[in-house]
Amino acid sequence: MKSVLDFRSAIWSVAFRPFFLFSSFHALFAVLVWILILFSIIPSPFLTGGIQIHSYEMVFGFGRGAIIGFLFTAGQNWTKKVLAKEGYLALLFGLWFLGRFGFLSNPYLSYAALTADLYCDLLVLFYLAPPLFAKGQEHNRVVVVTYFLLFLLHILTAFSFLNILPEGWSLHFIHLSLFVILQFVILIGGRIMPFFTSAAVPGANPKRFLKLESLIRYGGFLFLGIEACAFWFPEIIPFAGLFCLAFGILNYSRWLFWEPWKSKKVPILWILHSGYFWLCSGFLAYGLSHLGFFPSSSAFHIFTVGGIGVFVYGMITRVSLGHTGRPIKASKLIILGYILINLAVIARVFFPLINKYREAYLFSALFWITAFLIFTFKYSKILISPRAFTSS
C-alpha cells in the first residue's frame, strides 16, 4: 500500500476518502475541544467568542467537509467524469484542512487559515460548475447554485469575524449557512433515500411525487430567504414560525412516503431515515421556537446533531463501503455508533428542557465523540486502502 503522502495512493483517488475520514476526525476533536473550553478545563485559544467558533467549525468544518466528499463522489457518477483526484484533490483537501486553524490566537495563522477556507469554496465551484452546467446536467445545476450560496454566506461570515461587517452578524450568517447544509441534506435525501430503500428492503415501494419534491426543493430556498430577512425585520418572525411548521409537515409527508418503518431490519438504511426524521422534527421545533414555545438552542441542535450529524454518519458509513467495493452491511460496532449518535441528539435536545444543561453538554458530547471514534476505528483502513475486489 502506497503512503498517503503519495498522490497516487488510494486516499487521493476519490473525494469521499479524505473528506469523510478527516471530517470524522474533525467532528471528534472539535466537540472535544469545545467541551473542554465549556467546562473551563482549558482556556479558549480563539480570537473570538467560543459559541461562534463552535458553530462555525461544525458548519464549515464537519458539515461542509462531508458534503464536499459526497458531492464530488456523486458528481463523478452523474457526469461519468473524474472531477478531482490525486494532486488536484489533495490541494482541495489541503485548503479545507488548513481552514480548520482559523481564529486561533496567532493572527497570521488565523488569517492564512481563513483565506484558505474561502479558497476551498472557490476551488469546489471551479471543479464542480463546468461539468454540472454541461448539456444534459440541467437537473444537477441546483447543486452548484446551492454551494454558491454557501460560499457567499461564508464570505459574509468571514467579513463579520474581521469586523468589515458588524461582528454581531456572524452568528446569523453561520445559522444561514447551517440552513444551506440542511438544503443539501434535503436534496441528497430526495435522490438517495427512495433508491436505497427499494434496493435494500424486499417489498418496499417508496414513492416520489414530483409536485411534493418541487415544493420541498424550492421551499428550502424560500425558508432560507425568510430566515435571512427575519433577522433584520423581526415583525415577520411569527410568519417565519408558521412557515417552518408547514415546511416540517411537508418533509414529514415526504419521509413517510419513503416507508421508513420497513428499514428497521437494515441498520445501515434506518440510520439515514432517522437522520431525515430529525431534520423534519427540527423544522417543527424551530417553528415553535419562533412562536415562543420551544427553546431555540434545542431546535438548532435537532438540526445540527440530528438532521446533519445523524444523516452524515449514516451516509459516510454506507458510501465508504459501497464505493470501495465492500458489502454494504453495518458491523455490530457501527450499529452501536448509530445508537450513540441518536442518543447524542436526545441528550443535547431534551436534557435542557428539564434544566439539566451540564448533563446535556457532557452526555451529548460523550455519545457524539464515541460514535466518531468508532467510525474512525472501523473505517480508517478502508478509506486509505485500495478498492476491494468484491461488492454487494
Side-chain angles (χ1 to χ4, degrees):
M1 185 172 65
K2 296 184 178 71
S3 165
V4 296
L5 298 178
D6 184 344
F7 294 154
R8 295 169 297 174
S9 64
I11 194 171
W12 306 115
S13 62
V14 64
F16 75 86
R17 290 175 176 269
F19 278 103
F20 286 2
L21 180 58
F22 283 90
S23 291
S24 300
F25 277 121
H26 176 269
L28 191 166
F29 287 109
V31 170
L32 176 61
V33 169
W34 170 237
I35 286 299
L36 293 176
I37 293 171
L38 200 61
F39 281 82
S40 301
I41 297 172
I42 63 171
S44 174
F46 302 113
L47 290 169
T48 189
I51 186 64
Q52 285 91 340
I53 297 303
H54 172 60
S55 303
Y56 179 90
E57 283 303 314
M58 297 316 293
V59 171
F60 292 106
F62 169 66
R64 184 182 56 142
I67 291 296
I68 290 171
F70 179 85
L71 291 181
F72 276 82
T73 305
Q76 291 188 184
N77 290 335
W78 298 335
T79 63
K80 309 303 179 187
K81 297 178 180 178
V82 176
L83 303 184
K85 70 173 184 176
E86 299 178 350
Y88 296 102
L89 175 56
L91 173 61
L92 179 65
F93 170 78
L95 291 171
W96 173 86
F97 184 80
L98 181 58
R100 310 286 54 83
F101 296 91
F103 313 110
L104 293 175
S105 53
N106 184 319
Y108 299 105
L109 176 60
S110 180
Y111 295 146
L114 183 57
T115 302
D117 221 17
L118 293 171
Y119 270 106
C120 174
D121 288 336
L122 274 175
L123 201 56
V124 167
L125 291 168
F126 178 77
Y127 287 158
L128 280 183
L132 295 188
F133 267 83
K135 186 177 180 181
Q137 293 293 324
E138 290 79 7
H139 60 297
N140 289 321
R141 291 173 184 172
V142 65
V143 170
V144 179
V145 172
T146 306
Y147 200 94
F148 182 71
L149 289 175
L150 184 64
F151 175 45
L152 289 181
L153 288 166
H154 199 176
I155 292 172
L156 293 174
T157 303
F159 282 2
S160 295
F161 280 135
L162 297 172
N163 290 314
I164 298 171
L165 293 174
E167 188 176 4
W169 292 3
S170 62
L171 201 56
H172 174 57
F173 293 134
I174 293 172
H175 288 163
L176 293 178
S177 303
L178 159 65
F179 298 148
V180 176
I181 299 291
L182 291 175
Q183 179 70 350
F184 274 119
V185 174
I186 288 170
L187 292 171
I188 293 167
R191 295 186 178 204
I192 68 173
M193 294 304 294
F195 171 72
F196 285 174
T197 302
S198 60
V201 182
N205 185 29
K207 299 176 179 64
R208 293 180 79 251
F209 298 97
L210 293 180
K211 288 186 178 179
L212 179 60
E213 292 298 309
S214 294
L215 278 173
I216 289 174
R217 184 185 306 114
Y218 295 114
F221 291 112
L222 182 56
F223 164 71
L224 182 66
I226 292 171
E227 289 300 315
C229 295
F231 181 76
W232 288 286
F233 303 99
E235 61 270 16
I236 71 169
I237 287 178
F239 169 75
L242 294 173
F243 182 86
C244 282
L245 294 176
F247 195 54
I249 292 169
L250 276 179
N251 276 281
Y252 270 127
S253 301
R254 183 198 211 193
W255 178 68
L256 289 171
F257 284 127
W258 293 340
E259 302 181 341
W261 58 90
K262 292 186 177 179
S263 70
K264 62 182 181 295
K265 294 183 179 180
V266 188
I268 207 163
L269 178 60
W270 70 247
I271 184 65
L272 291 167
H273 281 294
S274 65
Y276 205 88
F277 166 80
W278 288 120
L279 179 141
C280 302
S281 302
F283 281 111
L284 290 189
Y286 191 58
L288 291 174
S289 75
H290 274 329
L291 299 173
F293 297 114
F294 198 81
S296 61
S297 177
S298 287
F300 274 117
H301 282 89
I302 297 177
F303 279 145
T304 54
V305 187
I308 296 173
V310 174
F311 190 87
V312 163
Y313 197 87
M315 180 179 68
I316 63 179
T317 56
R318 191 189 196 284
V319 171
S320 298
L321 294 176
H323 284 267
T324 58
R326 290 166 172 84
I328 303 174
K329 184 178 180 180
S331 67
K332 290 181 180 179
L333 200 56
I334 287 297
I335 293 172
L336 175 60
Y338 294 162
I339 294 168
L340 288 171
I341 199 164
N342 276 284
L343 288 175
V345 187
I346 293 168
R348 183 58 187 86
V349 171
F350 294 105
F351 278 13
L353 302 183
I354 54 173
N355 294 318
K356 299 291 184 181
Y357 292 96
R358 288 180 64 86
E359 292 84 352
Y361 306 144
L362 181 61
F363 283 105
S364 63
L366 180 63
F367 294 143
W368 175 277
I369 290 168
T370 306
F372 279 99
L373 271 174
I374 290 172
F375 176 84
T376 54
F377 172 73
K378 291 291 291 184
Y379 278 79
S380 290
K381 186 175 181 180
I382 292 173
L383 291 170
I384 67 173
S385 299
R387 180 181 174 86
F389 290 104
T390 59
S391 63
S392 173

